Amino acid sequence: EKGGYPHFMLKEIYEQPKALKDTLSPRINENNEIILDDIKLTKEDLEKINKVVIVACGTAYHAGLVGRYAIEKFARIPVEVDVASEFRYRDPFVDDKTLFIAVSQSGETADTLAALREAKEKGARIMAVTNVVGSRISREADDVFYTWAGPEIAVASTKAYTTQLMAMYLIALNMGIKKGTVTKEKYDEVLTELKALPEKVETLLENIENIQKLADQQFHNENVFYIGRGIDDHVGREGSLKLKEISYIHSEAIAAGELKHGTIALIEEGTLVVALATHDYLYDKMLSNMKEVKARGAYVIGVAQEGNQEIEKSADAVIYIPNTMDELSPILSVIPLQLFAYYIAVARGADVDKPKNLAKSVTVE
Ligand code: F6R
């Protein structure tokens, strides 16, 4: 059932090209239009919406952070993202002009469901992004986007996350074209690149020796930091969570610009720092953050787009991802982080598919 892979997690990492294709292809027609069958939100509905609230837990929350970026960028609507267990307790501003998006692989997470119900009661329009047809969250939503990732067995989420990212981009682009906040030219450019991503993920997955080697060198660390700016920071958070949950190494992800406001105090000789620098517009700032930690003895693994060799001066090792539009990099940059966490967990002899203390579906609040 593991299809020749030693763990479900690795199998699911390798299923990502297919999962992404399955999530994207059925939604694009021959005229390059995005067709979202289970989303009834019309242009008129959308004109009424003055705010989007995305709520989720764990990995799905990290997808929500990228969703905020995509919706604000393409649809120009202000977006708030919250973890579901916090959302209800701050008397949130939600009304009938709010679009509430619940992101949940299982569609059964108790906190996410409770937040959804709260938003519904306050009159919000409810959209669900979920991987399970007929799940509770899908049934209680007005609009549903199904990620077609297929069953995810490993407790650590991988293919569900990348398909959630794909969902967020499609939802954002679809809103943008309906609202007229994205030009047809930009829309076509993004869509063309989204279609190219499954193959780029495939290419990444064919070249993993470097990642495996780094994991074998670094698995003794007891403290790892992930830094990035913008959506790189969001991906860093996901990389950090993956590492924590399956390898039991303490890890923290922070926005790179926040380093000097505290966390840099923890950097010493040999501390491992994974630095994501996949964006042109923040590239120089990231390089200087990397130099800051390197100057204090950190071992820095950089993640950058191919061709950005400049990073090698600020890192001890570099993992390159195929070139893509800056906006879409999370779908590629998370893959090496998933593999890095996986190989470290394997090197430490951990039970990768069933980490201690964790359940696949959290149905208590
Ligand atoms: C991490 C992980 C969890 C889930 C979280 C939400 O790898 O799997 O953080 O993402 O429990 O679960 P869903 O998406 O089912 O609501």
Side-chain angles (χ1 to χ4, degrees):
E1 53 180 1
K2 289 181 198 150
Y5 290 94
H7 298 98
F8 280 111
M9 183 178 174
L10 191 62
K11 173 171 180 268
E12 289 162 7
I13 288 173
Y14 274 84
E15 282 171 350
Q16 288 178 109
K18 179 175 186 310
L20 287 166
K21 226 180 285 168
D22 289 350
T23 302
L24 176 70
S25 313
R27 266 90 186 210
I28 311 294
N29 72 10
E30 62 281 9
N31 302 323
N32 229 16
E33 288 160 346
I34 300 173
I35 309 297
L36 303 176
D37 284 336
D38 297 306
I39 293 183
K40 311 276 177 285
L41 197 75
T42 61
K43 194 169 178 304
E44 292 68 48
D45 294 333
L46 211 52
E47 265 153 22
K48 221 184 68 182
I49 300 294
N50 64 10
K51 172 185 177 176
V52 176
V53 174
I54 304 176
V55 170
C57 304
T59 287
Y61 169 72
H62 297 149
L65 293 173
V66 178
R68 172 176 66 193
Y69 170 85
I71 293 171
E72 289 190 340
K73 175 123 197 155
F74 299 131
R76 304 304 295 155
I77 308 174
V79 183
E80 278 174 27
V81 196
D82 215 339
V83 289
S85 57
E86 288 292 319
F87 172 73
R88 280 183 296 158
Y89 306 110
R90 58 186 179 89
D91 197 6
F93 287 93
V94 171
D95 59 24
D96 61 354
K97 295 187 181 63
T98 307
L99 173 64
F100 177 95
I101 307 180
V103 186
S104 174
Q105 187 283 127
S106 62
E108 303 292 341
T109 301
D111 281 313
T112 310
L113 183 62
L116 179 159
R117 287 178 177 159
E118 166 104 9
K120 200 172 188 171
E121 214 172 271
K122 292 188 161 181
R125 172 99 183 195
I126 310 291
M127 187 185 288
V129 173
T130 179
N131 196 38
V132 180
V133 177
S135 58
R136 219 171 301 227
I137 286 171
S138 76
R139 280 186 272 128
E140 298 197 17
D142 303 304
D143 305 292
V144 185
F145 185 110
Y146 287 110
T147 49
W148 299 125
E152 196 180 59
I153 311 291
V155 164
S157 182
T158 54
K159 61 178 181 169
Y161 172 75
T162 40
T163 57
Q164 282 160 358
L165 295 180
M166 182 61 89
M168 299 314 310
Y169 287 122
L170 289 174
I171 290 165
L173 264 188
N174 187 240
M175 284 180 177
I177 202 83
K178 277 187 186 149
K179 286 192 68 201
T181 44
V182 65
T183 62
K184 182 74 173 79
E185 198 186 355
K186 179 76 181 177
Y187 170 92
D188 285 337
E189 191 196 344
V190 179
L191 216 51
T192 303
E193 185 55 23
L194 282 174
K195 287 183 197 163
L197 284 178
E199 219 160 286
K200 292 184 180 183
V201 172
E202 192 94 58
T203 308
L204 251 175
L205 291 171
E206 280 162 12
N207 299 290
I208 62 157
E209 297 77 21
N210 186 24
I211 300 165
Q212 227 172 328
K213 207 178 80 203
L214 284 168
D216 286 341
Q217 285 166 5
Q218 297 295 329
F219 74 95
H220 288 300
N221 279 287
E222 289 306 333
N223 206 8
V224 180
F225 295 92
Y226 288 74
I227 60 172
R229 287 169 175 264
I231 42 179
D232 276 342
D233 165 56
H234 309 333
V235 176
R237 284 165 200 258
E238 175 56 11
S240 170
L241 178 64
K242 285 293 86 93
L243 184 71
K244 261 188 268 203
E245 60 183 338
I246 61 170
S247 75
Y248 316 136
I249 294 175
H250 174 259
S251 159
E252 186 180 332
I254 53 160
E258 274 291 288
L259 259 177
K260 53 182 158 304
H261 300 289
T263 307
I264 202 161
L266 293 172
I267 306 293
E268 52 189 41
E269 198 58 40
T271 306
L272 179 57
V273 176
V274 179
L276 289 105
T278 71
H279 295 139
D280 271 354
Y281 78 112
L282 293 167
Y283 196 61
D284 292 339
K285 291 216 161 111
M286 258 321 287
L287 293 190
S288 73
N289 292 133
M290 291 163 70
K291 287 191 182 113
E292 275 162 22
V293 290
K294 225 171 126 48
R296 285 155 182 88
Y299 183 89
V300 179
I301 299 178
V303 180
Q305 290 197 36
E306 247 156 36
N308 285 340
Q309 254 81 14
E310 179 75 15
I311 194 173
E312 288 171 17
K313 286 187 215 141
S314 316
D316 296 281
V318 180
I319 298 169
Y320 288 105
I321 61 168
N323 286 126
T324 187
M325 293 174 70
D326 278 3
E327 292 95 325
L328 305 183
S329 63
I331 291 182
L332 296 178
S333 58
V334 75
I335 310 279
L337 306 189
Q338 294 170 342
L339 287 162
F340 187 63
Y342 172 78
Y343 284 113
I344 286 192
V346 169
R348 290 167 75 100
D351 186 353
V352 173
D353 284 337
K354 285 201 173 60
K356 68 173 173 353
N357 307 343
L358 293 176
K360 183 67 186 161
S361 183
V362 183
T363 50
V364 289
E365 280 182 42

